[in-house]
Amino acid sequence: AHYVHTHRLHYISPGSCIFIQISTIIMKVSKSILLTALSFSGSASAFSNVAVSRTFVSRTAVFAEKLPIVGDESIMAPKAHGTSETPVQQDLLWGCDNETADRICNFNRHYAEYAGYWTTTNFLKEVDREKPTDYFDSVTGKKLFTAPIGRSMDAFLQESASHGWPSFRDEEVNWDYVRCLPDGECVSVDGTHLGHNIPDKSGNRYCINLVCVAGKPTE
């Protein structure tokens, strides 16, 4: 007589018993499959980790530059017209006063238009409420700011009203033409005084005189 043992041997025929250790075979096959799966899983995991790592490095590189971009005091060295080469443009936007603008932009390092001045101009009547507005240097006509970016127009106006001057954030600054000096003074690369960086709990906040960014584009 032939018996089926606890090793789960398979009984083939009464005259010839071929005992195949199915469990052993299955275990070997299963182990092989499992190892292959684990190997693939490990490779996929490694590939995934590399991809994530590369993505993180890429994103980190984008935000690696520290803002604001600091300029040298030489930017504001005396030139043909105060700290600039020329006076402010005629017929500034929003009815900004030309004499006030020229004094603040070119012959000033510390003073500003009075708080709330921007609300007495035509700015609130004329500014686009649906799309971001570009703000140009009152002297050179170069684009210095674009706002709002990453927030609503209402949020931009509300923040500006609460502080007394148009208030821009890092992402709203055109860093090709704007610099901050070590003492916080915000200027154009051509020597136009713009305002000051007065950070708050949300980050850098550039309080800018409207008369300094009421120019018309020249580029």
Side-chain angles (χ1 to χ4, degrees), residues 19-171:
F19 296 92
I20 304 173
Q21 298 185 21
I22 297 176
S23 296
T24 303
I25 294 174
I26 291 176
M27 287 177 65
K28 288 182 178 180
V29 173
S30 298
K31 182 178 181 181
S32 176
I33 294 173
L34 180 60
L35 289 173
T36 301
L38 287 173
S39 175
F40 177 78
S41 176
S43 299
S45 177
F47 178 81
S48 177
N49 287 338
V50 169
V52 171
S53 178
R54 286 178 178 173
T55 301
F56 176 77
V57 170
S58 176
R59 288 179 179 175
T60 301
V62 171
F63 295 102
E65 185 174 42
K66 182 176 175 59
L67 296 176
I69 297 179
V70 178
D72 189 84
E73 180 65 28
S74 61
I75 294 174
M76 301 301 283
K79 302 178 183 65
H81 189 77
T83 57
S84 300
E85 293 293 348
T86 61
V88 298
Q89 299 175 358
Q90 296 296 317
D91 301 320
L92 295 172
L93 295 177
W94 309 303
C96 288
D97 182 71
N98 188 271
E99 182 180 346
T100 300
D102 196 56
R103 184 173 64 254
I104 292 176
C105 289
N106 299 318
F107 298 94
N108 164 64
R109 301 295 302 280
H110 306 291
Y111 297 100
E113 63 195 23
Y114 62 82
Y117 169 83
W118 65 285
T119 64
T120 68
T121 68
N122 296 329
F123 177 81
L124 291 175
K125 297 177 183 177
E126 299 175 2
V127 70
D128 194 324
R129 302 294 181 118
E130 302 300 324
K131 297 182 296 183
T133 295
D134 292 329
Y135 297 82
F136 299 90
D137 191 321
S138 293
V139 177
T140 66
K142 293 178 180 178
K143 184 171 72 172
L144 304 181
F145 302 92
T146 300
I149 299 293
R151 54 177 171 170
S152 68
M153 186 61 174
D154 285 343
F156 169 71
L157 294 176
Q158 183 176 359
E159 180 174 64
S160 298
S162 67
H163 294 296
W165 292 267
S167 297
F168 301 90
R169 295 293 177 172
D170 286 335
E171 61 273 20

Side-chain angles (χ1 to χ4, degrees), residues 67-69 144 170-171 173-180 206:
L67 296 176
I69 297 179
L144 304 181
D170 286 335
E171 61 273 20
V173 183
N174 180 3
W175 293 107
D176 288 340
Y177 299 126
V178 177
R179 296 290 184 270
C180 278
Y206 307 97

